Amino acid sequence: MDDSEVSVKPTSTLPPITGMDSRILAGRKFLDSYLSTNESGPLVLPAVPTQKHVDHYNEDDLKVNRRKEYDAKRIDNEAECAVYRALEHLKQKIIVIHGFTYSKDQWDMLLNNSEEKGMGKAGEHDFIVIVPNSVNCTLICIEVKRPKSEKKFRSLYKEATHQANKCGQFLKALLAPFSAKLTFNEFCAFPLTCRDDGMKSDLKEHNKFDIPILWKDDIGPSLSKYTTNSNVWRTTSDIEALIVGLWLENQGKRDMEGVNVIWDLIGKTIKQTNDQLKSQELYLKSENRSCNLKKVPKEYRAMFQNHLHGIEYLTQEQLNLLCQDDDDSFKQSYVLVNGCAGSGKTLIMYARILRLLHCMKDDEQILLLLPWWDAADVFMKMIEKFDQDISMKKMDLVGYLRKSKDQPDIIGSFTKQMRECTEKIVIFVRPNFILRDFISQDLLNTMHSIFLATLKNRKWHIFCDDFHSSFAHSMLQAPDNLDASADACTKEPLADFLLNLLSKNGHKDNDCLPQSLWISCDLMQTVQFSFWTRAYDQYQGTIDKIYGLFKKQQICRLSGNLRNAHGIALILSDLKEKFLELCGDNRKKIMEILPSQGSYHFIQGFTTKLYCVLENNMDKVKSIVTNELNLIDRSYQAAEISNMIAIIPVYHHFSVVNEKMSGARGDWSMDIQKMVEHIACGDKIRTFDKNLHFADYVKYANSMEFPCAVIVVDLSCSGVELSAQDMNRSLMNILSHIYVGISRAKVYCSIILICSDDEPNELYKEIHQVLLPHVKIIEDY
């Protein structure tokens, strides 16, 4: 049956399905509209793999038998996702339908089979691939199987053969009224098994294969030979339109305008996936039930429902950080939380703060230390919604120093500011006192001492989020010789002070200790400061200092990524692995203190797009950004999503090795911002706000998250010759920045890699190699 050509002619014995013309019209409108979106590669329907199982446990699913059954169905779905991704990565212009169904009435009408009469579904086929070309139309039917043992391959292969034959029978009958030459190809796919392993199973005794088999290691290559003549979209035929029209009907979208169907499909998929991730409706990949999701405790449920994304389930690690004693104090009152991007650090910190506002004493206050304004604004909006009567004060410490540097009594004024922090919640933004060109070292030390005294002399509940920023600045100092460090600041930087509080070292008077202390960080994000390798003399002791500090602290780990869709989480995991590879002899130590990074769930999102711009052509970059913003904006409007797009520039500036270029990042970032503003205004991008959704430097994106994000990365070296050490350091730097940027995108991410050098440089090659297994490369630009 492989590659069998069937000449199909109109016949009175095979009556068309009632309303066939309307289905053709709906399918044609949809396909013609898709071509107008300028999307390249296959058209895959639906927009992400069909998820029959949401990876969500209910309380009654704890029984062993139920769990085994559920796990088996989930892995079956994982096998279908593997085929979906393989088809999605084909370069040809084909149409892929995942989960093609038809009703019993449709089957009976075409084949006059009384056994299939009545309501309901007559059949469902895993994948239908339509390969249009100028001569004929090729249809490929793929049935996906996942054998549980070596003895199950043969029986599943026979089952797949029967299902594929039934699919072909229906399609041939459906398309019989059209004068066309059709080619039908039927396959059985074992996408979780390699060919060599599969042929060691009970299939080795199978002499005749009625339909070919697709294995894990050859799905793409095997199918490519059937699609080689489909490199350009042509006028939609009635055959393609009818099949797509039937699929639209099953989705309840046949009567919508074609272009609206596309935006509706993409937009609602983004919204649904984002909601699943926000509510943590997912199943952790673990054999230990204690590590899987559990119900939010009763005393927290209303708070999570109303103020924290409606989350119903938490991991055991997250729950441990919310446990309280009988006096309402947290069992872990002094805690250092080390978690990767998306592990729930900020979520649990917010939950602890909201809980404290219910039960803490009148003379106690909450002190929040945050690295950037954006994170403070998000927090304050949440508190205002929680209780608008709670008093809050926000102060930008670096901004205050800059603004007040010329005051005659700046120390007295600053001391007064600190004493007047009487609000219930006090937020200090940018609390790192680093030597800058507008302030002297002595004044910096004095003001920093006043700031630390404020932290000591109050009944604070101190929370420090995204601590890696403060920690990195602390590590970059040379404490024994301040003049030796370009980033010299104080003798007891904030990071050291907080870690000393955490271990209660040097504080004999308990009155100086805060009521509670929360420090959260992702050490992976500190690599942007480039001190992780022993290759540089000035940082030789740094790795040992970091290792020693973290090993002696009582660290609570939040493992695994719960924020990002499965595919994005896998990219982050590989970026971390590349970073570890560059750590050399320090790899073992680093692995002990870096948080676990990986996808602990199976919620599917869109495949990340990768655009490669290998020239100095900002018009091309503008065209790509315009296309991406329009696609996201129209999808958002169709699904009624608002204000959730991010543009995050990542510029590899060589100030680490060439101080003359240190200002180039700001100029480049400003150029990108102006370009985006021009696009947003000219194309009327209604869901983009430049003040909220443009992170002018990737590190300002900490604690931000968006359903969709566009990451613009410039890897150009501008003719700078890099030594092996500088290349290693630069690569670690850019890996960290890309890691942070991509981790902001929950469901949909597109990456624009720019390299305007005469030839792609080593930075570009290394980053491209890490991303390649996970992305869909867009070559039409």
Side-chain angles (χ1 to χ4, degrees):
M1 296 182 187
D2 177 31
D3 204 22
S4 59
E5 295 186 354
V6 181
S7 181
V8 184
K9 298 179 180 180
T11 171
S12 58
T13 61
L14 294 174
I17 297 175
T18 303
M20 185 176 286
D21 289 345
S22 63
R23 291 179 175 89
I24 292 174
L25 180 61
R28 187 180 298 280
K29 283 184 176 179
F30 178 84
L31 292 172
D32 291 346
S33 298
Y34 175 80
L35 301 185
S36 69
T37 65
N38 296 320
E39 287 292 285
S40 63
L43 165 59
V44 189
L45 302 171
V48 300
T50 301
Q51 292 187 206
K52 302 171 186 174
H53 311 286
V54 186
D55 305 320
H56 177 66
Y57 263 142
N58 294 317
E59 292 300 312
D60 63 345
D61 284 322
L62 299 180
K63 296 179 180 179
V64 174
N65 290 340
R66 290 287 304 279
R67 181 178 175 182
K68 288 182 178 179
E69 177 186 356
Y70 187 90
D71 283 350
K73 291 180 178 179
R74 176 183 55 75
I75 298 173
D76 288 343
N77 191 226
E78 197 176 341
E80 291 189 24
C81 289
V83 176
Y84 182 104
R85 298 305 185 190
L87 292 169
E88 192 176 39
H89 280 75
L90 293 176
K91 304 294 185 183
Q92 288 75 20
K93 313 293 186 179
I94 59 176
I95 301 167
V96 178
I97 296 178
H98 182 202
F100 180 80
T101 62
Y102 47 87
S103 68
K104 291 181 178 180
D105 283 343
Q106 290 170 347
W107 177 273
D108 177 58
M109 189 176 297
L110 286 172
L111 298 167
N112 196 23
N113 187 336
S114 59
E115 293 181 3
E116 295 289 359
K117 282 186 176 179
M119 301 293 291
K121 184 170 61 177
E124 177 178 0
H125 302 289
D126 295 331
F127 290 93
I128 300 295
V129 181
I130 309 170
V131 186
N133 57 59
S134 58
V135 179
N136 63 0
C137 183
T138 298
L139 297 180
I140 299 173
C141 175
I142 304 173
E143 288 298 325
V144 181
K145 300 298 176 185
R146 195 268 307 177
K148 298 177 183 178
S149 70
E150 291 185 354
K151 298 180 180 180
K152 297 293 184 180
F153 279 81
R154 190 169 181 175
S155 61
L156 287 178
Y157 174 79
K158 290 181 178 179
E159 182 181 316
T161 300
H162 172 74
Q163 291 172 328
N165 289 343
K166 185 177 180 180
C167 175
Q169 191 178 3
F170 176 80
L171 290 173
K172 292 170 187 177
L174 174 70
L175 302 173
F178 302 95
S179 294
K181 190 176 182 181
L182 300 176
T183 302
F184 286 90
N185 299 278
E186 297 160 356
F187 291 90
C188 169
F190 296 123
L192 302 184
T193 307
C194 293
R195 175 184 292 275
D196 291 344
D197 294 332
M199 294 311 296
K200 295 176 184 177
S201 68
D202 56 358
L203 284 177
K204 65 183 179 182
E205 301 173 359
H206 196 67
N207 297 323
K208 183 180 180 181
F209 291 94
D210 295 324
I211 63 176
I213 297 176
L214 300 174
W215 302 98
K216 177 181 180 180
D217 41 2
D218 66 3
I219 296 176
S222 295
L223 291 176
S224 291
K225 62 182 179 181
Y226 294 91
T227 62
T228 52
N229 295 323
S230 184
N231 295 316
V232 180
W233 287 115
R234 61 180 179 80
T235 304
T236 303
S237 72
D238 286 348
I239 295 174
E240 302 150 26
L242 176 57
I243 296 175
V244 172
L246 275 176
W247 181 84
L248 290 172
E249 182 178 29
N250 291 333
Q251 302 296 313
K253 302 180 184 299
R254 197 182 82 181
D255 296 330
M256 294 179 65
E257 288 294 328
V259 70
N260 290 340
V261 177
I262 296 171
W263 307 134
D264 185 74
L265 281 173
I266 297 174
K268 289 188 176 176
T269 299
I270 292 170
K271 189 175 188 302
Q272 178 184 356
T273 308
N274 186 58
D275 289 345
Q276 287 178 359
L277 290 166
K278 279 170 59 176
S279 61
Q280 293 199 174
E281 289 188 1
L282 43 90
Y283 166 67
L284 296 187
K285 188 176 182 181
S286 172
E287 296 179 358
N288 184 353
R289 177 63 198 176
S290 65
C291 293
N292 294 331
L293 297 182
K294 295 186 176 181
K295 275 279 190 181
V296 170
K298 291 181 179 179
E299 63 270 25
Y300 283 94
R301 286 179 189 172
M303 182 179 75
F304 273 88
Q305 181 63 39
N306 297 325
H307 305 288
L308 297 173
H309 312 305
I311 287 176
E312 299 179 10
Y313 290 80
L314 295 173
T315 68
Q316 186 62 55
E317 291 175 327
Q318 292 171 336
L319 284 170
N320 291 341
L321 294 170
L322 295 179
C323 291
Q324 292 178 284
D325 290 321
D326 294 337
D327 63 353
D328 290 331
S329 63
F330 290 107
K331 289 186 177 180
Q332 298 188 64
S333 57
Y334 278 63
V335 60
L336 171 60
V337 180
N338 188 14
C340 66
S343 60
K345 301 184 296 296
T346 303
L347 169 73
I348 301 303
M349 184 189 77
Y350 282 0
R352 282 174 68 120
I353 290 174
L354 293 182
R355 184 63 180 168
L356 279 174
L357 291 173
H358 267 303
C359 60
M360 69 187 204
K361 298 176 182 178
D362 291 340
D363 62 342
E364 295 176 355
Q365 294 173 268
I366 290 173
L367 175 66
L368 185 58
L369 304 173
L370 295 173
W372 315 116
W373 274 100
D374 291 336
D377 292 340
V378 170
F379 172 79
M380 293 181 74
K381 288 178 181 178
M382 181 196 67
I383 296 298
E384 288 170 359
K385 182 180 178 182
F386 176 75
D387 186 345
Q388 61 183 0
D389 294 328
I390 293 177
S391 59
M392 290 185 286
K393 178 178 182 177
K394 178 174 64 173
M395 186 175 179
D396 180 357
L397 295 180
V398 173
Y400 179 85
L401 291 177
R402 188 181 298 275
K403 181 180 178 181
S404 306
K405 65 182 185 299
D406 296 327
Q407 285 189 11
D409 187 16
I410 184 175
I411 293 177
S413 175
F414 186 67
T415 302
K416 182 181 178 182
Q417 286 279 349
M418 294 295 99
R419 288 175 179 171
E420 290 177 351
C421 292
T422 58
E423 289 77 6
K424 199 66 174 177
I425 298 177
V426 177
I427 306 169
F428 289 134
V429 180
R430 295 195 290 178
N432 297 310
F433 284 74
I434 302 171
L435 185 61
R436 302 172 188 274
D437 56 5
F438 56 81
I439 190 170
S440 68
Q441 181 71 63
D442 290 340
L443 180 58
L444 183 77
N445 286 332
T446 300
M447 298 187 71
H448 183 66
S449 298
I450 296 170
F451 171 66
L452 294 187
T454 302
L455 270 59
K456 293 177 184 178
N457 298 329
R458 304 267 185 169
K459 290 190 174 181
W460 294 115
H461 293 273
I462 299 178
F463 293 85
C464 181
D465 197 23
D466 288 325
F467 179 66
H468 35 267
S469 176
S470 298
F471 190 70
H473 282 298
S474 170
M475 294 300 101
L476 282 171
Q477 294 182 87
D480 298 330
N481 182 10
L482 288 176
D483 293 335
S485 173
D487 282 325
C489 53
T490 55
K491 294 182 179 179
E492 188 183 21
L494 177 63
D496 290 9
F497 173 79
L498 291 176
L499 288 174
N500 285 334
L501 280 182
L502 192 69
S503 57
K504 301 182 181 180
N505 290 333
H507 294 277
K508 296 180 181 180
D509 185 358
N510 286 336
D511 290 339
C512 292
L513 295 176
Q515 299 298 305
S516 66
L517 174 62
W518 167 285
I519 302 173
S520 57
C521 68
D522 175 4
L523 282 182
M524 178 63 189
Q525 296 187 37
T526 63
V527 298
Q528 61 186 294
F529 295 92
S530 305
F531 53 68
W532 288 97
T533 174
R534 288 186 182 276
Y536 310 99
D537 294 339
Q538 65 267 42
Y539 301 133
Q540 277 193 357
T542 300
I543 184 64
D544 292 326
K545 181 179 180 181
I546 296 172
Y547 181 77
L549 284 171
F550 270 68
K551 287 295 288 184
K552 74 179 182 180
Q553 304 297 338
Q554 294 298 316
I555 298 177
C556 295
R557 298 184 184 275
L558 289 179
S559 304
N561 186 310
L562 302 173
R563 174 200 293 147
N564 306 100
H566 186 71
I568 295 175
L570 292 180
I571 295 176
L572 298 176
S573 182
D574 275 7
L575 287 170
K576 176 190 171 183
E577 285 303 313
K578 183 63 180 179
F579 158 69
L580 287 171
E581 177 188 318
L582 296 170
C583 290
D585 295 340
N586 291 320
R587 180 186 179 105
K588 185 175 180 181
K589 284 186 176 180
I590 296 296
M591 288 181 68
E592 289 187 48
I593 59 175
L594 276 191
S596 174
Q597 172 73 63
S599 177
Y600 275 34
H601 65 84
F602 303 93
I603 292 180
Q604 299 293 325
F606 295 81
T607 295
T608 296
K609 293 181 183 176
L610 178 63
Y611 298 88
C612 302
V613 181
L614 299 178
E615 56 183 313
N616 186 12
N617 189 338
M618 289 306 291
D619 288 338
K620 184 177 290 189
V621 175
K622 181 178 179 180
S623 176
I624 297 170
V625 174
T626 301
N627 186 60
E628 287 295 314
L629 282 178
N630 273 297
L631 184 149
I632 298 170
D633 181 62
R634 294 183 185 183
S635 302
Y636 277 17
Q637 291 182 42
E640 298 181 348
I641 308 173
S642 60
N643 297 329
M644 291 185 178
I645 306 176
I647 304 292
I648 304 176
V650 180
Y651 177 58
H652 178 70
H653 60 101
F654 282 85
S655 57
V656 292
V657 293
N658 187 347
E659 293 183 1
K660 294 181 180 179
M661 300 183 66
S662 60
R665 175 191 61 78
D667 295 339
W668 180 80
S669 180
M670 185 60 67
D671 290 342
I672 297 292
Q673 182 173 3
K674 289 178 180 178
M675 179 187 72
V676 172
E677 289 176 8
H678 184 266
I679 295 169
C681 293
D683 289 63
K684 298 180 180 178
I685 308 295
R686 288 184 282 180
T687 52
F688 182 81
D689 184 326
K690 66 177 183 180
N691 296 318
L692 296 176
H693 308 133
F694 186 90
D696 63 345
Y697 187 30
V698 70
K699 68 180 182 181
Y700 296 131
N702 282 323
S703 292
M704 299 167 65
E705 58 181 45
F706 302 87
C708 304
V710 180
I711 318 298
V712 186
V713 186
D714 193 343
L715 298 172
S716 306
C717 287
S718 304
V720 177
E721 292 291 334
L722 296 180
S723 65
Q725 286 188 355
D726 286 337
M727 176 58 68
N728 180 281
R729 184 182 178 190
S730 298
L731 183 54
M732 295 176 78
N733 182 299
I734 201 69
L735 277 170
S736 170
H737 285 74
I738 294 175
Y739 170 92
V740 176
I742 293 176
S743 69
R744 304 306 104 187
K746 298 177 66 178
V747 182
Y748 175 97
C749 180
S750 59
I751 304 169
I752 306 171
L753 285 188
I754 305 170
C755 182
S756 58
D757 296 356
D758 294 337
E759 296 289 338
N761 57 49
E762 290 303 314
L763 283 176
Y764 173 87
K765 292 177 182 177
E766 292 281 1
I767 298 299
H768 188 271
Q769 184 178 6
V770 175
L771 297 176
L772 192 58
H774 306 286
V775 299
K776 175 183 177 181
I777 298 180
I778 310 298
E779 298 178 334
D780 293 357
Y781 282 86

